[in-house]
Amino acid sequence: MHKDLYNAALDQRKTEYQKFGNKVDYLQQQNCLPEFKKCFPEYKELGSHALQATLKRVDFAYQRFFKGLGKYPRFKSIRHYSGWTYPCGSGWSIETNSENGYLTVSHLGRIQIRGKARTWGKPTTCTIVYRNGYWYASITVQCNPIRSTGTGAIGIDLGCKEAITLSTGEKINKPEFLKTGQRQVKAASKSLRRKRSPNGNKRVKASRRWKKERAKVSKLQRKVARQREDWLHKTTSKIVSGNSLIAGEQLNVKGMTASSKKGKRKKQKAGLNRSILEVGFDIMGGLLTYKAAEAGGFYLESPTRVLKPTQRCAKCWQLTPKTLKDRVHICSNPNCQHSEDRDVNAAQVNIIWARGQELTSIDAESPSSTACGSMRQLGARKRQKPRPCV
Ligand SMILES: [Zn+2]
């Protein structure tokens, strides 16, 4: 029913504009809802807020389209409809103390829930999600997440050979399962290509084997995605648990993945780009930011273009040009000649830069704050705002 409402709202916007040149906005559609429910009384049971949330989805799709972020909204089949939302407390209820419990959705029944939330709070919204053939319930709670942290300060450098290098010299390798998973996905996709795929123009239907193989490919892809997410969460949590000041570098992921099409050292860059996407570096900054904020610490990103951490010397701050092939930093400054592993050096440059930022912020606030004090205060101030956690 939510899907039909979505399509109806989309159809209204489309035909009103095409035939009469009227632009229908969200409020107009919301005001139509009571009339709509008179014609289709079965919709009354779904709850007006949930229906409004579905109309908002249509509006959201249009907003994305107008901003140039997405394609023109399409009509959805039930197979591709992603679910619905309860934007307030009505229509659902939850019985739990953060560990296991029951979720009751009106007209659907009481469902057992399993697992544990790290911090629990007041439940606010519930979204039923249908993805990859499975149904999920996503519940947001209003809470104040608190995380413990150490007093250390650490710099990190992301690379293609070792996934993460810390300024202490420790290296975290790219997890093995990514390689295995990719190999499996590749093999399954090859097998999929050999089966009869659907072709609408030639009126060819997909074969049963093709459908089966496609399900296998998406299952494998899902598994790798989940493993990667798990690994990222564990790794970032570990970094935050020991350090309250973390320094990384700004990644221009969009630019980096695009740059592999031309230019010097194309292949190496493509390798780095692939590993950025493979390991999920693009979301790592976000994870570190919120985890550090929860812990009352701070995560800073150095401006890579200006600072050039890979080329700068951590001892004398002099630049030494390098290619991706040079694995060891040997300072070109004759008075320094500092030699260090390339990635460790970059991580050290990052943390030195972050400490410099911290010192300037202390000067601005008060001379009495301690080494990590000002950053901690900033982090704490950030934390005070209750943040919904999913
Ligand atoms: Zn040097």
Coordinates of all heavy atoms in Angstrom, one line a residue, residues 313 315-316 331 333 336 338, ligand 1:
C313 N 59.4 16.0 5.5 CA 60.2 15.2 6.5 C 59.6 15.5 7.9 O 59.4 16.7 8.2 CB 61.6 15.7 6.4 SG 62.7 14.9 7.7
K315 N 61.1 15.3 10.6 CA 62.2 15.9 11.5 C 62.4 17.3 11.2 O 62.4 18.2 12.1 CB 63.5 15.1 11.4 CG 63.5 13.8 12.2 CD 64.6 13.9 13.2 CE 64.5 12.8 14.3 NZ 65.1 11.6 13.9
C316 N 62.6 17.6 9.9 CA 63.1 19.0 9.6 C 62.0 19.8 8.7 O 62.3 20.9 8.4 CB 64.4 19.0 8.9 SG 64.3 18.3 7.2
C331 N 65.6 11.9 3.7 CA 65.4 13.4 3.6 C 66.5 13.9 2.7 O 67.7 13.5 2.7 CB 65.6 14.0 5.0 SG 65.2 15.7 5.0
N333 N 67.5 17.0 2.7 CA 68.2 18.1 3.4 C 69.5 17.5 3.9 O 69.5 16.6 4.7 CB 67.3 18.6 4.6 CG 67.9 19.7 5.3 OD1 69.0 20.2 5.0 ND2 67.2 20.2 6.3
C336 N 70.0 16.9 7.6 CA 69.1 16.1 8.4 C 69.3 14.6 8.0 O 69.6 13.8 8.9 CB 67.6 16.5 8.1 SG 66.4 15.4 8.6
H338 N 67.3 12.3 7.5 CA 66.5 11.5 8.3 C 65.9 10.4 7.4 O 65.4 10.7 6.3 CB 65.3 12.3 8.9 CG 64.3 11.6 9.6 ND1 64.5 10.7 10.6 CD2 62.9 11.5 9.4 CE1 63.4 10.2 11.0 NE2 62.4 10.6 10.3
Ligands
ZN1 ZN 64.6 16.0 7.2

